[in-house]
């Protein structure tokens, strides 16, 4: 999730000052574990040939196909050995500065709750399926692991510069809803897509959304929506390139250049865009007509 979060700054009852809580794995019910298994089985059938090689490799090396909700301690042991990241449990959305500080220290915050069986297809807050199935496999990729740490550091800086909106857009259009151009074709690496049954198809196959080659400044100016499919997806050439752009670019001059320019609408295509798919926006029009 990468929506500016308005949370009061005190951690909830029973949470640590950094908002972490024990995962309390033994407290999960059979229903909780079966919900994870149902969601996992649906995506595991759908994603080969759709998700990026790196995502599928992460799913495999982290042994996430084991039945039931993963135990964060076991998962963190495997992840730590691969890229130095660990998964820490939080009760829900945490304040931006807390979120960025964990990320800058290679701690991925994951919701410790799971959606109810009647919420299979959508929920607002990131639950353990969105966070662990969606985000964690990519943390096994060394370049992406470096990218997310750099993002965490950049987030703390963006808070100082008042540029959170621009940085949250970068997160949204890469970490949450990013596509990558692989030799076999476009593939998904964004967590919001890989953890969604319907969007895993929509993002690659539907003629409705735009698919535009990634450009840092373009993405930082582009609005997004948190409650429905995206109307534009941005495509990176490789994780090396995404990391290079993020590490090498001093964001301050980028923020200064952008601050005077208008935001770009979620369905817009600009003359300078390198367009892969000029979307029909049929889906958005039909939703608007509802
Ligand atoms: N907290 N638990 C949690 N998960 C998120 O994805 C998250 C968050 N707080 C802030 C946040 N995301 C975004 O607003 C930042 O990208 C700005
Ligand atoms: Fe997320």
């Amino acid at each position: 999730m990468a929506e500016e979060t308005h949370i009061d700054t005190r951690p909830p009852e029973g949470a640590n000052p950094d908002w972490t809580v024990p995962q309390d794995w033994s407290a999960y019910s059979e229903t909780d574990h079966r919900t994870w298994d149902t969601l996992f089985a649906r995506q595991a059938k759908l994603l080969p040939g759709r998700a990026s090689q790196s995502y599928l490799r992460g799913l495999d090396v982290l042994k996430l196909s084991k039945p039931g909700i993963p135990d964060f301690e076991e998962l963190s042991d495997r992840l730590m050995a691969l890229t130095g990241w660990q998964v820490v449990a939080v009760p829900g959305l945490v304040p931006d500065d807390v979120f960025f500080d964990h990320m800058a220290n290679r701690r991925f915050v994951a919701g410790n709750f799971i959606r109810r069986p009647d919420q299979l297809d959508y929920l607002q807050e990131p639950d353990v399926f969105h966070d662990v199935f969606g985000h964690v496999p990519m943390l096994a990729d060394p370049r992406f692991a470096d990218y997310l740490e750099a993002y965490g550091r950049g987030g703390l800086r963006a808070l100082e510069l008042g540029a959170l909106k621009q940085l949250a857009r970068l997160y949204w259009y890469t970490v949450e809803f990013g596509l990558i151009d692989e030799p076999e074709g476009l593939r998904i690496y964004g967590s919001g897509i890989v953890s969604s049954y319907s969007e895993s198809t929509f993002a690659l196959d539907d003629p409705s959304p735009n698919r535009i080659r990634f450009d840092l400044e373009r993405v930082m100016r582009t609005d997004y929506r948190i409650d429905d499919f995206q109307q534009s997806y941005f495509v990176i050439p490789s994780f090396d390139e995404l990391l290079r752009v993020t590490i090498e670019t001093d964001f301050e001059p980028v923020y200064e250049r952008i601050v005077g320019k208008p935001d770009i609408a979620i369905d817009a295509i600009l003359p300078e865009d390198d367009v892969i798919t000029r979307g029909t926006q049929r889906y958005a029009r039909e939703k608007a007509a509802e």
Side-chain angles (χ1 to χ4, degrees):
M1 314 296 284
E3 178 53 18
E4 277 180 33
T5 42
H6 301 288
I7 305 167
D8 67 27
T9 50
R10 286 182 325 287
E13 205 47 48
N16 298 314
D18 64 2
W19 286 65
T20 55
V21 291
Q23 178 188 11
D24 197 4
W25 189 86
S26 59
Y28 292 125
S29 68
E30 262 317 291
T31 305
D32 291 334
H33 288 300
R34 294 302 68 79
T35 300
W36 170 280
D37 292 343
T38 304
L39 290 165
F40 187 98
R42 244 178 27 170
Q43 293 309 100
K45 217 168 55 242
L46 189 59
L47 291 177
R50 286 180 178 283
S52 80
Q53 286 306 320
S54 176
Y55 174 85
L56 294 172
R57 196 177 316 113
L59 212 49
D60 182 37
V61 294
L62 294 173
K63 301 189 185 339
L64 279 169
S65 54
K66 206 173 120 216
I69 295 172
D71 180 314
F72 290 5
E73 276 183 33
E74 282 172 27
L75 182 55
S76 295
D77 288 347
R78 287 198 190 97
L79 193 54
M80 183 64 77
L82 289 165
T83 57
W85 275 81
Q86 58 183 307
V87 181
V88 293
V90 290
L93 287 174
V94 304
D96 296 333
D97 59 331
V98 172
F99 181 71
F100 291 128
D101 184 64
H102 280 299
M103 204 161 259
N105 291 285
R106 297 211 171 207
R107 290 188 300 267
F108 190 82
V109 296
N112 65 345
F113 65 96
I114 192 158
R115 65 194 76 180
R116 295 190 315 272
D118 64 301
Q119 294 174 307
L120 278 198
D121 279 316
Y122 187 72
L123 81 166
Q124 185 67 26
E125 288 229 347
D127 69 340
V128 66
F129 188 76
H130 169 91
D131 281 329
V132 172
F133 181 87
H135 284 283
V136 171
M138 285 308 301
L139 294 176
D141 178 307
R143 299 150 306 171
F144 203 80
D146 291 352
Y147 170 66
L148 265 194
E149 180 190 340
Y151 180 86
R153 287 200 308 277
L156 294 170
R157 187 94 183 86
L159 285 173
E160 288 166 20
L161 299 169
L164 179 66
K165 194 167 81 165
Q166 287 70 25
L167 200 89
R169 287 167 171 167
L170 174 61
Y171 187 87
W172 191 262
Y173 283 118
T174 54
V175 178
E176 291 295 355
F177 290 94
L179 300 180
I180 182 170
D181 202 355
E182 289 188 345
E184 307 77 20
L186 291 191
R187 294 290 183 268
I188 302 163
Y189 70 93
S191 313
I193 310 176
V194 288
S195 58
S196 157
Y197 185 68
S198 46
E199 197 155 3
S200 294
T201 304
F202 179 84
L204 289 183
D205 303 345
D206 201 292
S208 179
N210 302 325
R211 295 174 187 87
I212 302 166
R213 290 205 186 284
F214 176 85
D215 171 89
L216 182 70
E217 197 167 313
R218 168 63 157 95
V219 162
M220 284 189 161
R221 290 179 54 201
T222 305
D223 265 338
Y224 59 84
R225 58 186 315 168
I226 63 165
D227 56 0
D228 207 339
F229 292 162
Q230 298 311 305
Q231 295 181 232
S232 292
Y233 294 97
F234 290 89
V235 182
I236 59 172
S238 68
F239 295 117
D240 287 316
E241 178 58 15
L242 179 63
L243 179 60
R244 186 192 64 75
V245 165
T246 309
I247 298 276
E248 286 180 9
T249 309
D250 175 359
F251 281 7
E252 262 184 80
V254 179
Y255 294 145
E256 275 149 28
R257 266 203 310 278
I258 292 175
V259 75
K261 295 181 181 171
D263 289 347
I264 300 169
I266 51 179
D267 60 350
I269 287 186
L270 305 185
E272 61 271 25
D273 284 343
D274 184 345
V275 179
I276 296 170
T277 312
R278 187 175 293 275
T280 63
Q281 299 301 339
R282 174 192 53 73
Y283 174 81
R285 270 202 312 278
E286 284 173 0
K287 287 290 274 194
E290 269 175 8

